[in-house]
Coordinates of all heavy atoms in Angstrom, one line a residue:
M300 N -96.2 -104.3 -122.2 CA -96.5 -102.9 -121.9 C -96.7 -102.2 -123.3 O -96.1 -102.7 -124.3 CB -95.3 -102.3 -121.2 CG -95.6 -100.9 -120.8 SD -94.4 -100.0 -119.8 CE -93.1 -101.0 -119.4
D301 N -97.5 -101.2 -123.3 CA -97.8 -100.5 -124.5 C -96.6 -99.5 -124.9 O -96.8 -98.3 -124.8 CB -99.1 -99.7 -124.4 CG -100.3 -100.6 -124.3 OD1 -100.3 -101.7 -124.9 OD2 -101.2 -100.2 -123.5
V302 N -95.5 -100.1 -125.3 CA -94.3 -99.3 -125.6 C -94.5 -98.2 -126.6 O -94.1 -97.1 -126.4 CB -93.2 -100.3 -126.0 CG1 -91.9 -99.5 -126.3 CG2 -92.9 -101.2 -124.8
T303 N -95.2 -98.6 -127.7 CA -95.4 -97.6 -128.8 C -96.2 -96.4 -128.3 O -95.9 -95.2 -128.5 CB -96.1 -98.2 -130.0 OG1 -95.3 -99.3 -130.4 CG2 -96.3 -97.2 -131.1
N304 N -97.3 -96.7 -127.5 CA -98.1 -95.6 -127.0 C -97.3 -94.7 -126.1 O -97.5 -93.5 -126.1 CB -99.4 -96.1 -126.3 CG -100.4 -96.7 -127.2 OD1 -100.3 -96.6 -128.4 ND2 -101.3 -97.5 -126.7
I305 N -96.6 -95.3 -125.2 CA -95.8 -94.5 -124.2 C -94.7 -93.7 -124.9 O -94.5 -92.5 -124.7 CB -95.1 -95.5 -123.2 CG1 -96.3 -96.1 -122.4 CG2 -94.1 -94.7 -122.3 CD1 -95.8 -97.2 -121.5
K306 N -94.0 -94.3 -125.9 CA -93.0 -93.6 -126.7 C -93.6 -92.4 -127.4 O -93.0 -91.3 -127.3 CB -92.3 -94.6 -127.7 CG -91.2 -93.9 -128.5 CD -90.7 -94.8 -129.6 CE -91.7 -94.8 -130.7 NZ -91.4 -95.3 -132.0
N307 N -94.7 -92.6 -128.0 CA -95.3 -91.5 -128.7 C -95.7 -90.4 -127.8 O -95.6 -89.2 -128.1 CB -96.5 -92.0 -129.5 CG -96.1 -92.8 -130.7 OD1 -95.0 -92.7 -131.2 ND2 -97.1 -93.6 -131.2
C308 N -96.2 -90.8 -126.6 CA -96.7 -89.8 -125.7 C -95.5 -88.9 -125.2 O -95.6 -87.7 -125.1 CB -97.3 -90.5 -124.5 SG -98.1 -89.3 -123.3
I309 N -94.4 -89.5 -125.0 CA -93.2 -88.8 -124.5 C -92.6 -88.0 -125.7 O -92.4 -86.8 -125.5 CB -92.1 -89.8 -124.0 CG1 -92.7 -90.4 -122.7 CG2 -90.8 -89.0 -123.7 CD1 -91.8 -91.5 -122.2
L310 N -92.3 -88.6 -126.8 CA -91.6 -87.9 -127.9 C -92.5 -86.9 -128.6 O -92.0 -85.8 -129.0 CB -91.1 -88.9 -128.9 CG -90.0 -89.9 -128.4 CD1 -89.7 -90.9 -129.5 CD2 -88.8 -89.2 -127.9
R311 N -93.7 -87.2 -128.8 CA -94.6 -86.2 -129.5 C -95.3 -85.3 -128.5 O -96.1 -84.5 -128.9 CB -95.6 -87.0 -130.3 CG -95.0 -87.8 -131.4 CD -96.1 -88.6 -132.1 NE -95.5 -89.5 -133.1 CZ -96.1 -90.4 -133.7 NH1 -97.4 -90.6 -133.5 NH2 -95.5 -91.2 -134.6
K312 N -95.0 -85.5 -127.2 CA -95.7 -84.6 -126.2 C -97.2 -84.7 -126.3 O -97.9 -83.6 -126.2 CB -95.1 -83.2 -126.2 CG -93.6 -83.2 -125.9 CD -93.2 -81.8 -125.6 CE -91.7 -81.7 -125.3 NZ -91.4 -82.1 -123.9
E313 N -97.7 -85.9 -126.5 CA -99.2 -86.0 -126.6 C -99.8 -85.8 -125.3 O -99.2 -86.1 -124.2 CB -99.5 -87.4 -127.2 CG -99.0 -87.6 -128.6 CD -99.3 -89.0 -129.2 OE1 -99.8 -89.9 -128.4 OE2 -99.0 -89.2 -130.4
S314 N -101.1 -85.4 -125.3 CA -101.8 -85.1 -124.1 C -102.6 -86.2 -123.6 O -103.2 -86.1 -122.5 CB -102.6 -83.8 -124.3 OG -103.6 -84.1 -125.3
S315 N -102.8 -87.3 -124.3 CA -103.6 -88.4 -123.9 C -102.9 -89.7 -124.1 O -102.1 -89.9 -125.1 CB -104.9 -88.4 -124.8 OG -105.7 -89.4 -124.4
L316 N -103.1 -90.6 -123.1 CA -102.4 -91.9 -123.2 C -103.4 -93.0 -122.7 O -104.0 -92.8 -121.6 CB -101.2 -91.9 -122.3 CG -100.4 -93.3 -122.2 CD1 -99.9 -93.7 -123.6 CD2 -99.3 -93.1 -121.2
K317 N -103.6 -94.0 -123.5 CA -104.4 -95.2 -123.1 C -103.5 -96.4 -123.0 O -102.7 -96.7 -123.9 CB -105.4 -95.5 -124.2 CG -106.1 -96.8 -124.1 CD -107.0 -96.9 -122.9 CE -107.8 -98.2 -123.0 NZ -107.7 -99.0 -121.8
I318 N -103.4 -97.0 -121.8 CA -102.6 -98.2 -121.6 C -103.6 -99.4 -121.5 O -104.6 -99.3 -120.7 CB -101.8 -98.1 -120.3 CG1 -100.9 -96.9 -120.4 CG2 -101.1 -99.3 -120.0 CD1 -99.7 -97.1 -121.3
S319 N -103.3 -100.5 -122.1 CA -104.2 -101.6 -122.1 C -103.4 -102.8 -121.5 O -103.9 -104.0 -121.6 CB -104.7 -102.0 -123.4 OG -103.7 -102.2 -124.4
T320 N -102.3 -102.6 -120.9 CA -101.5 -103.7 -120.3 C -102.1 -104.2 -119.0 O -102.5 -103.4 -118.2 CB -100.0 -103.2 -120.0 OG1 -99.5 -102.8 -121.2 CG2 -99.2 -104.2 -119.4
K321 N -102.2 -105.5 -118.9 CA -102.6 -106.0 -117.6 C -101.3 -106.3 -116.8 O -100.6 -107.3 -117.1 CB -103.4 -107.3 -117.8 CG -104.6 -107.1 -118.7 CD -105.8 -107.6 -118.1 CE -107.0 -107.5 -119.0 NZ -107.4 -106.2 -119.5
W322 N -101.0 -105.4 -115.9 CA -99.7 -105.5 -115.2 C -99.7 -106.7 -114.2 O -100.2 -106.6 -113.1 CB -99.4 -104.2 -114.4 CG -98.9 -103.2 -115.3 CD1 -97.7 -103.3 -116.1 CD2 -99.4 -101.9 -115.6 NE1 -97.6 -102.2 -116.8 CE2 -98.5 -101.3 -116.6 CE3 -100.5 -101.2 -115.1 CZ2 -98.8 -100.0 -117.0 CZ3 -100.7 -100.0 -115.6 CH2 -99.9 -99.4 -116.6
E323 N -99.2 -107.8 -114.7 CA -99.1 -109.0 -113.8 C -97.8 -108.9 -113.0 O -97.7 -109.4 -111.9 CB -99.1 -110.3 -114.7 CG -100.4 -110.5 -115.5 CD -101.6 -110.8 -114.7 OE1 -101.4 -111.3 -113.5 OE2 -102.7 -110.7 -115.2
D324 N -96.8 -108.3 -113.7 CA -95.5 -108.2 -113.0 C -95.3 -106.8 -112.6 O -95.5 -105.9 -113.3 CB -94.3 -108.8 -113.8 CG -94.0 -107.9 -115.0 OD1 -94.7 -108.1 -116.0 OD2 -93.1 -107.1 -114.9
Q325 N -94.7 -106.6 -111.4 CA -94.5 -105.3 -110.8 C -93.4 -104.5 -111.6 O -93.5 -103.3 -111.7 CB -94.1 -105.4 -109.4 CG -95.2 -106.0 -108.5 CD -96.4 -105.1 -108.4 OE1 -96.4 -104.0 -108.2 NE2 -97.6 -105.7 -108.6
E326 N -92.5 -105.2 -112.2 CA -91.4 -104.6 -112.8 C -91.8 -103.7 -114.0 O -91.3 -102.5 -114.1 CB -90.4 -105.6 -113.3 CG -89.1 -105.1 -113.7 CD -88.1 -106.2 -114.1 OE1 -87.9 -107.1 -113.3 OE2 -87.4 -106.1 -115.1
S327 N -92.7 -104.2 -114.8 CA -93.1 -103.3 -116.0 C -94.0 -102.2 -115.5 O -93.9 -101.1 -116.1 CB -93.9 -104.2 -117.0 OG -95.1 -104.7 -116.4
F328 N -94.7 -102.3 -114.4 CA -95.5 -101.2 -113.9 C -94.6 -100.2 -113.3 O -94.8 -99.0 -113.6 CB -96.4 -101.8 -112.8 CG -97.3 -100.7 -112.1 CD1 -98.3 -100.1 -112.9 CD2 -97.1 -100.3 -110.9 CE1 -99.1 -99.1 -112.3 CE2 -97.9 -99.3 -110.3 CZ -98.9 -98.7 -111.0
Y329 N -93.5 -100.5 -112.6 CA -92.6 -99.5 -112.1 C -91.8 -98.8 -113.2 O -91.6 -97.6 -113.1 CB -91.7 -100.2 -111.1 CG -92.4 -100.6 -109.8 CD1 -92.3 -101.9 -109.4 CD2 -93.2 -99.8 -109.1 CE1 -92.9 -102.4 -108.2 CE2 -93.9 -100.2 -108.0 CZ -93.8 -101.5 -107.5 OH -94.4 -101.9 -106.4
L330 N -91.6 -99.5 -114.2 CA -90.9 -98.9 -115.4 C -91.9 -97.8 -116.0 O -91.5 -96.7 -116.3 CB -90.5 -99.9 -116.5 CG -90.0 -99.3 -117.8 CD1 -88.7 -98.5 -117.5 CD2 -89.7 -100.5 -118.7
F331 N -93.1 -98.2 -116.1 CA -94.1 -97.2 -116.6 C -94.2 -96.0 -115.7 O -94.2 -94.9 -116.2 CB -95.5 -97.9 -116.7 CG -96.6 -96.9 -116.8 CD1 -96.8 -96.2 -118.0 CD2 -97.5 -96.6 -115.8 CE1 -97.8 -95.3 -118.2 CE2 -98.5 -95.6 -116.0 CZ -98.6 -95.0 -117.2
L332 N -94.1 -96.2 -114.4 CA -94.2 -95.0 -113.5 C -93.0 -94.1 -113.6 O -93.1 -92.9 -113.5 CB -94.3 -95.5 -112.0 CG -95.6 -96.3 -111.6 CD1 -95.5 -96.7 -110.2 CD2 -96.8 -95.5 -111.9
K333 N -91.8 -94.7 -113.9 CA -90.6 -93.9 -114.1 C -90.8 -93.1 -115.4 O -90.4 -91.9 -115.5 CB -89.4 -94.8 -114.2 CG -89.0 -95.3 -112.9 CD -87.7 -96.2 -113.0 CE -87.4 -96.8 -111.7 NZ -86.2 -97.6 -111.7
L334 N -91.3 -93.7 -116.4 CA -91.6 -93.0 -117.7 C -92.6 -91.9 -117.6 O -92.6 -90.9 -118.3 CB -91.9 -94.0 -118.8 CG -90.8 -95.0 -119.2 CD1 -91.3 -96.1 -120.1 CD2 -89.6 -94.3 -119.8
L335 N -93.6 -92.1 -116.7 CA -94.7 -91.2 -116.5 C -94.1 -89.8 -116.2 O -94.7 -88.8 -116.6 CB -95.6 -91.7 -115.4 CG -96.9 -91.0 -115.2 CD1 -97.8 -91.0 -116.5 CD2 -97.7 -91.6 -114.1
K336 N -93.0 -89.7 -115.5 CA -92.4 -88.4 -115.2 C -92.0 -87.6 -116.4 O -91.8 -86.4 -116.3 CB -91.3 -88.6 -114.2 CG -91.8 -89.2 -112.9 CD -90.6 -89.4 -111.9 CE -91.2 -90.0 -110.7 NZ -90.2 -90.3 -109.7
F337 N -91.8 -88.3 -117.5 CA -91.3 -87.6 -118.7 C -92.5 -87.1 -119.6 O -92.3 -86.5 -120.6 CB -90.4 -88.5 -119.6 CG -89.1 -88.8 -118.9 CD1 -89.0 -90.0 -118.2 CD2 -88.1 -87.9 -118.9 CE1 -87.8 -90.3 -117.6 CE2 -86.9 -88.2 -118.2 CZ -86.8 -89.4 -117.6
M338 N -93.7 -87.5 -119.2 CA -94.9 -87.1 -119.9 C -95.5 -85.8 -119.4 O -96.5 -85.7 -118.8 CB -96.0 -88.2 -119.8 CG -95.5 -89.6 -120.4 SD -96.6 -90.9 -120.2 CE -95.6 -92.3 -120.2
T339 N -94.8 -84.7 -119.7 CA -95.0 -83.4 -119.1 C -96.3 -82.8 -119.6 O -96.8 -81.8 -119.0 CB -93.8 -82.5 -119.3 OG1 -93.6 -82.4 -120.7 CG2 -92.6 -83.0 -118.6
Q340 N -96.8 -83.2 -120.8 CA -98.0 -82.6 -121.4 C -99.3 -83.5 -121.1 O -100.3 -83.1 -121.6 CB -97.8 -82.4 -122.9 CG -96.7 -81.6 -123.3 CD -96.8 -80.2 -122.8 OE1 -97.9 -79.6 -122.8 NE2 -95.7 -79.6 -122.4
L341 N -99.1 -84.5 -120.4 CA -100.2 -85.5 -120.2 C -101.4 -84.9 -119.5 O -101.2 -84.4 -118.4 CB -99.7 -86.7 -119.5 CG -100.6 -87.9 -119.5 CD1 -100.9 -88.5 -120.9 CD2 -100.0 -89.0 -118.6
Q342 N -102.5 -84.9 -120.1 CA -103.8 -84.4 -119.5 C -104.7 -85.5 -119.2 O -105.5 -85.4 -118.3 CB -104.4 -83.4 -120.4 CG -103.6 -82.1 -120.6 CD -104.2 -81.2 -121.6 OE1 -105.2 -81.5 -122.2 NE2 -103.6 -80.0 -121.7
R343 N -104.7 -86.6 -120.0 CA -105.7 -87.7 -119.9 C -104.9 -89.0 -119.9 O -104.2 -89.3 -120.8 CB -106.6 -87.6 -121.1 CG -107.7 -88.7 -121.0 CD -108.6 -88.6 -122.2 NE -109.7 -89.5 -122.1 CZ -109.7 -90.8 -122.5 NH1 -108.6 -91.3 -123.0 NH2 -110.8 -91.5 -122.4
L344 N -105.1 -89.7 -118.8 CA -104.4 -91.0 -118.6 C -105.5 -92.1 -118.4 O -106.2 -92.0 -117.4 CB -103.4 -91.0 -117.5 CG -102.8 -92.3 -117.1 CD1 -102.0 -92.9 -118.3 CD2 -101.8 -92.2 -115.9
D345 N -105.6 -93.0 -119.3 CA -106.6 -94.1 -119.2 C -105.9 -95.4 -118.9 O -105.2 -95.9 -119.8 CB -107.4 -94.2 -120.5 CG -108.5 -95.2 -120.4 OD1 -108.6 -96.1 -119.4 OD2 -109.4 -95.2 -121.3
I346 N -106.0 -95.9 -117.7 CA -105.3 -97.1 -117.3 C -106.4 -98.1 -116.8 O -106.3 -98.7 -115.7 CB -104.2 -96.9 -116.3 CG1 -104.5 -96.0 -115.2 CG2 -102.9 -96.4 -117.0 CD1 -103.4 -95.8 -114.2
S347 N -107.5 -98.2 -117.5 CA -108.6 -99.1 -117.2 C -108.2 -100.5 -117.5 O -107.4 -100.8 -118.4 CB -109.8 -98.7 -118.0 OG -110.2 -97.4 -117.7
D348 N -108.7 -101.4 -116.8 CA -108.5 -102.9 -117.0 C -107.1 -103.3 -116.9 O -106.6 -104.2 -117.7 CB -109.1 -103.3 -118.3 CG -110.6 -103.1 -118.4 OD1 -111.3 -103.6 -117.5 OD2 -111.1 -102.5 -119.4
C349 N -106.3 -102.7 -116.1 CA -104.8 -103.0 -116.0 C -104.5 -103.7 -114.7 O -103.3 -103.9 -114.4 CB -104.0 -101.7 -116.0 SG -104.1 -100.9 -117.6
K350 N -105.5 -104.2 -114.0 CA -105.2 -105.0 -112.7 C -104.5 -104.2 -111.7 O -103.6 -104.7 -111.0 CB -104.6 -106.3 -113.0 CG -105.4 -107.2 -113.9 CD -104.8 -108.6 -113.9 CE -105.7 -109.5 -114.7 NZ -105.2 -110.9 -114.7
I351 N -104.7 -102.9 -111.6 CA -104.1 -102.0 -110.6 C -104.8 -102.3 -109.2 O -106.0 -102.2 -109.1 CB -104.2 -100.6 -111.0 CG1 -103.4 -100.4 -112.3 CG2 -103.7 -99.6 -109.9 CD1 -103.5 -99.0 -112.9
D352 N -103.9 -102.5 -108.2 CA -104.5 -102.7 -106.8 C -104.0 -101.6 -105.9 O -103.4 -100.6 -106.3 CB -104.0 -104.1 -106.3 CG -102.5 -104.2 -106.2 OD1 -101.8 -103.2 -106.2 OD2 -102.1 -105.4 -106.2
D353 N -104.4 -101.7 -104.7 CA -104.1 -100.6 -103.7 C -102.6 -100.3 -103.6 O -102.2 -99.2 -103.5 CB -104.6 -101.0 -102.3 CG -106.2 -100.9 -102.2 OD1 -106.8 -100.2 -103.1 OD2 -106.7 -101.5 -101.3
R354 N -101.8 -101.4 -103.5 CA -100.4 -101.2 -103.4 C -99.8 -100.4 -104.6 O -99.0 -99.6 -104.5 CB -99.7 -102.5 -103.3 CG -98.2 -102.5 -103.0 CD -97.6 -103.9 -103.0 NE -98.1 -104.5 -104.3 CZ -98.1 -105.8 -104.5 NH1 -97.6 -106.6 -103.7 NH2 -98.5 -106.3 -105.6
M355 N -100.3 -100.8 -105.8 CA -99.9 -100.1 -107.0 C -100.3 -98.7 -107.0 O -99.7 -97.8 -107.5 CB -100.4 -100.9 -108.3 CG -99.7 -102.3 -108.4 SD -100.6 -103.3 -109.5 CE -99.7 -102.9 -111.0
C356 N -101.5 -98.4 -106.4 CA -102.0 -97.0 -106.4 C -101.1 -96.2 -105.5 O -100.9 -95.0 -105.8 CB -103.4 -97.0 -105.7 SG -104.7 -97.4 -106.9
Q357 N -100.5 -96.7 -104.5 CA -99.6 -96.0 -103.7 C -98.4 -95.5 -104.5 O -98.0 -94.3 -104.5 CB -99.1 -96.8 -102.5 CG -98.1 -96.0 -101.6 CD -97.7 -96.9 -100.4 OE1 -97.9 -98.1 -100.3 NE2 -97.1 -96.2 -99.4
N358 N -97.9 -96.3 -105.3 CA -96.7 -96.0 -106.2 C -97.2 -95.0 -107.3 O -96.5 -94.1 -107.7 CB -96.1 -97.2 -106.8 CG -95.5 -98.0 -105.7 OD1 -94.7 -97.6 -104.9 ND2 -95.8 -99.3 -105.6
L359 N -98.4 -95.3 -107.9 CA -98.9 -94.4 -108.9 C -99.1 -93.0 -108.4 O -98.8 -92.0 -109.1 CB -100.2 -95.0 -109.5 CG -101.0 -94.2 -110.5 CD1 -100.2 -93.9 -111.7 CD2 -102.3 -94.9 -110.8
S360 N -99.6 -92.9 -107.2 CA -99.9 -91.6 -106.6 C -98.6 -90.8 -106.5 O -98.6 -89.6 -106.7 CB -100.6 -91.7 -105.3 OG -99.7 -92.3 -104.3
E361 N -97.5 -91.5 -106.1 CA -96.2 -90.8 -106.0 C -95.8 -90.2 -107.4 O -95.3 -89.1 -107.5 CB -95.1 -91.7 -105.5 CG -95.3 -92.0 -104.0 CD -95.3 -90.8 -103.1 OE1 -94.5 -89.9 -103.3 OE2 -96.2 -90.7 -102.2
A362 N -96.0 -91.0 -108.4 CA -95.6 -90.5 -109.8 C -96.5 -89.4 -110.2 O -96.1 -88.5 -110.9 CB -95.7 -91.7 -110.8
L363 N -97.8 -89.4 -109.9 CA -98.7 -88.4 -110.3 C -98.5 -87.1 -109.6 O -98.8 -86.0 -110.1 CB -100.2 -88.8 -110.0 CG -100.7 -90.0 -110.9 CD1 -102.1 -90.4 -110.4 CD2 -100.7 -89.6 -112.3
K364 N -97.8 -87.1 -108.4 CA -97.5 -85.8 -107.7 C -96.7 -84.9 -108.6 O -96.7 -83.7 -108.4 CB -96.9 -86.1 -106.4 CG -97.9 -86.7 -105.4 CD -97.2 -87.0 -104.1 CE -98.1 -87.7 -103.1 NZ -97.4 -88.0 -101.8
S365 N -95.9 -85.5 -109.4 CA -95.0 -84.7 -110.2 C -95.6 -84.2 -111.6 O -95.0 -83.5 -112.3 CB -93.7 -85.4 -110.6 OG -94.0 -86.5 -111.4
N366 N -96.9 -84.5 -111.8 CA -97.6 -84.1 -113.0 C -98.6 -83.0 -112.7 O -99.5 -83.3 -111.9 CB -98.2 -85.3 -113.7 CG -99.0 -85.0 -114.9 OD1 -99.8 -84.0 -114.9 ND2 -98.7 -85.7 -116.0
S367 N -98.4 -81.9 -113.2 CA -99.3 -80.8 -112.9 C -100.3 -80.5 -114.0 O -101.1 -79.6 -113.9 CB -98.5 -79.5 -112.7 OG -97.8 -79.1 -113.8
T368 N -100.3 -81.3 -115.1 CA -101.2 -81.1 -116.2 C -102.4 -82.1 -116.3 O -103.3 -81.9 -117.0 CB -100.4 -81.2 -117.5 OG1 -99.8 -82.4 -117.6 CG2 -99.4 -80.1 -117.6
L369 N -102.3 -83.2 -115.5 CA -103.3 -84.2 -115.6 C -104.7 -83.7 -115.1 O -104.8 -83.2 -114.0 CB -102.9 -85.4 -114.8 CG -103.7 -86.7 -115.0 CD1 -103.4 -87.3 -116.4 CD2 -103.4 -87.7 -113.9
T370 N -105.7 -83.9 -116.0 CA -107.0 -83.5 -115.6 C -108.0 -84.7 -115.6 O -109.1 -84.6 -115.0 CB -107.6 -82.4 -116.6 OG1 -107.5 -82.9 -117.9 CG2 -106.8 -81.1 -116.4
N371 N -107.7 -85.7 -116.3 CA -108.5 -86.9 -116.4 C -107.7 -88.2 -116.1 O -106.7 -88.5 -116.8 CB -109.1 -87.1 -117.8 CG -110.1 -86.0 -118.1 OD1 -111.1 -85.8 -117.4 ND2 -109.8 -85.2 -119.2
L372 N -108.1 -88.9 -115.1 CA -107.5 -90.2 -114.8 C -108.6 -91.2 -114.8 O -109.6 -91.2 -114.0 CB -106.9 -90.1 -113.4 CG -106.2 -91.4 -112.8 CD1 -105.1 -91.8 -113.8 CD2 -105.7 -91.2 -111.4
I373 N -108.5 -92.2 -115.7 CA -109.6 -93.2 -115.9 C -109.1 -94.5 -115.4 O -108.0 -95.0 -115.9 CB -110.0 -93.2 -117.4 CG1 -110.5 -91.8 -117.8 CG2 -111.1 -94.3 -117.6 CD1 -110.1 -91.4 -119.2
L374 N -109.8 -95.1 -114.5 CA -109.3 -96.3 -113.8 C -110.4 -97.4 -113.7 O -110.4 -98.2 -112.8 CB -109.0 -95.9 -112.3 CG -107.8 -95.0 -112.2 CD1 -107.8 -94.3 -110.8 CD2 -106.5 -95.7 -112.4
Y375 N -111.3 -97.5 -114.7 CA -112.3 -98.5 -114.6 C -111.8 -99.9 -114.5 O -110.7 -100.2 -115.1 CB -113.2 -98.4 -115.9 CG -114.0 -97.1 -116.1 CD1 -113.7 -96.3 -117.1 CD2 -115.0 -96.8 -115.2 CE1 -114.4 -95.1 -117.3 CE2 -115.6 -95.6 -115.4 CZ -115.3 -94.8 -116.4 OH -116.0 -93.6 -116.6
N376 N -112.5 -100.8 -113.9 CA -112.2 -102.2 -113.8 C -110.8 -102.5 -113.3 O -110.1 -103.4 -113.9 CB -112.5 -102.9 -115.2 CG -114.0 -102.8 -115.6 OD1 -114.8 -102.9 -114.7 ND2 -114.2 -102.6 -116.8
N377 N -110.4 -101.9 -112.2 CA -109.2 -102.3 -111.6 C -109.5 -102.8 -110.2 O -110.7 -103.0 -109.8 CB -108.3 -101.1 -111.5 CG -107.6 -100.8 -112.8 OD1 -106.8 -101.6 -113.3 ND2 -107.9 -99.7 -113.4
K378 N -108.5 -103.2 -109.4 CA -108.8 -103.8 -108.1 C -108.5 -102.8 -107.0 O -107.8 -103.0 -106.0 CB -107.8 -105.0 -107.9 CG -108.0 -106.1 -108.9 CD -106.9 -107.1 -108.7 CE -106.9 -108.1 -109.9 NZ -105.8 -109.1 -109.7
I379 N -109.0 -101.6 -107.2 CA -108.7 -100.5 -106.3 C -109.7 -100.4 -105.2 O -110.9 -100.3 -105.4 CB -108.6 -99.1 -107.0 CG1 -107.5 -99.2 -108.1 CG2 -108.3 -98.0 -106.1 CD1 -107.6 -98.1 -109.1
G380 N -109.3 -100.4 -103.9 CA -110.2 -100.3 -102.8 C -110.1 -98.9 -102.2 O -109.5 -98.0 -102.8
I381 N -110.6 -98.8 -101.0 CA -110.6 -97.5 -100.3 C -109.2 -97.0 -100.0 O -108.9 -95.8 -100.2 CB -111.4 -97.6 -98.9 CG1 -112.9 -97.9 -99.3 CG2 -111.2 -96.4 -98.1 CD1 -113.7 -98.2 -98.1
V382 N -108.3 -97.9 -99.7 CA -106.9 -97.4 -99.4 C -106.2 -96.9 -100.6 O -105.6 -95.8 -100.6 CB -106.1 -98.6 -98.8 CG1 -104.6 -98.3 -98.7 CG2 -106.6 -99.1 -97.5
G383 N -106.4 -97.5 -101.8 CA -105.9 -97.0 -103.0 C -106.5 -95.7 -103.4 O -105.8 -94.8 -103.9
C384 N -107.8 -95.6 -103.2 CA -108.4 -94.3 -103.5 C -107.9 -93.2 -102.7 O -107.7 -92.0 -103.2 CB -109.9 -94.4 -103.3 SG -110.8 -95.4 -104.5
K385 N -107.6 -93.4 -101.4 CA -107.0 -92.4 -100.6 C -105.7 -91.9 -101.1 O -105.4 -90.7 -101.1 CB -106.9 -92.9 -99.1 CG -108.2 -93.0 -98.4 CD -108.1 -93.5 -97.0 CE -109.4 -93.6 -96.3 NZ -109.3 -94.1 -94.9
Y386 N -104.8 -92.9 -101.5 CA -103.5 -92.5 -102.1 C -103.7 -91.6 -103.3 O -103.0 -90.6 -103.4 CB -102.7 -93.7 -102.5 CG -102.2 -94.6 -101.3 CD1 -102.4 -95.9 -101.3 CD2 -101.4 -94.0 -100.4 CE1 -101.9 -96.7 -100.2 CE2 -100.8 -94.7 -99.3 CZ -101.1 -96.1 -99.3 OH -100.6 -96.8 -98.3
L387 N -104.6 -92.0 -104.2 CA -104.8 -91.2 -105.4 C -105.4 -89.8 -105.1 O -105.0 -88.9 -105.7 CB -105.7 -92.0 -106.3 CG -105.1 -93.3 -106.9 CD1 -106.1 -94.1 -107.7 CD2 -103.9 -93.0 -107.8
L388 N -106.3 -89.8 -104.2 CA -106.9 -88.5 -103.9 C -105.8 -87.5 -103.3 O -105.8 -86.3 -103.6 CB -108.0 -88.6 -102.9 CG -109.3 -89.2 -103.4 CD1 -110.3 -89.5 -102.3 CD2 -109.9 -88.3 -104.5
E389 N -105.0 -88.0 -102.5 CA -103.9 -87.2 -101.9 C -103.0 -86.6 -103.0 O -102.6 -85.5 -103.0 CB -103.1 -87.9 -100.9 CG -103.8 -88.1 -99.6 CD -104.2 -86.8 -98.9 OE1 -103.3 -85.9 -98.8 OE2 -105.4 -86.7 -98.5
A390 N -102.6 -87.5 -104.0 CA -101.8 -87.1 -105.1 C -102.5 -86.1 -106.0 O -101.9 -85.1 -106.4 CB -101.4 -88.3 -105.9
L391 N -103.7 -86.3 -106.2 CA -104.5 -85.4 -107.1 C -104.7 -84.0 -106.5 O -104.9 -83.0 -107.2 CB -105.8 -86.0 -107.6 CG -105.5 -87.3 -108.5 CD1 -106.8 -88.0 -108.8 CD2 -104.8 -86.9 -109.7
K392 N -104.8 -84.0 -105.2 CA -104.9 -82.7 -104.5 C -103.7 -81.8 -104.8 O -103.8 -80.6 -104.9 CB -105.1 -82.9 -103.0 CG -106.5 -83.2 -102.5 CD -106.7 -82.9 -101.1 CE -106.2 -84.1 -100.2 NZ -106.5 -83.9 -98.8
L393 N -102.5 -82.4 -104.8 CA -101.3 -81.7 -105.1 C -101.2 -81.3 -106.5 O -100.5 -80.3 -106.9 CB -100.1 -82.6 -104.7 CG -99.9 -82.9 -103.3 CD1 -98.8 -83.9 -103.1 CD2 -99.7 -81.7 -102.4
N394 N -101.9 -82.0 -107.4 CA -101.9 -81.8 -108.8 C -102.6 -80.5 -109.2 O -102.3 -79.9 -110.2 CB -102.5 -83.0 -109.5 CG -102.5 -82.9 -111.0 OD1 -102.8 -81.8 -111.6 ND2 -102.3 -83.9 -111.7
S395 N -103.6 -80.1 -108.4 CA -104.5 -79.0 -108.8 C -103.9 -77.6 -108.7 O -102.9 -77.4 -108.2 CB -105.8 -79.0 -108.0 OG -105.5 -79.0 -106.7

């Protein structure tokens, strides 16, 4: 996991975060989701190429519901299907 990037985002209240971790194990992904709640200034989240699938999108969407500042979510080259997109769209509707 990109611990330094996440730490800086939380402590420095940075508005942008790029994660390049390929989440093979669910444990590190769930830890990231817990930390995401502390990123109160986050406006741009780039989690491209992280092997995120529909099931992970369901959990990601729950974490995103608590973030009211996110304006850019970048998800290129993941394994997200229609089901995952629906979860994310529901979460982002609450974000606006």
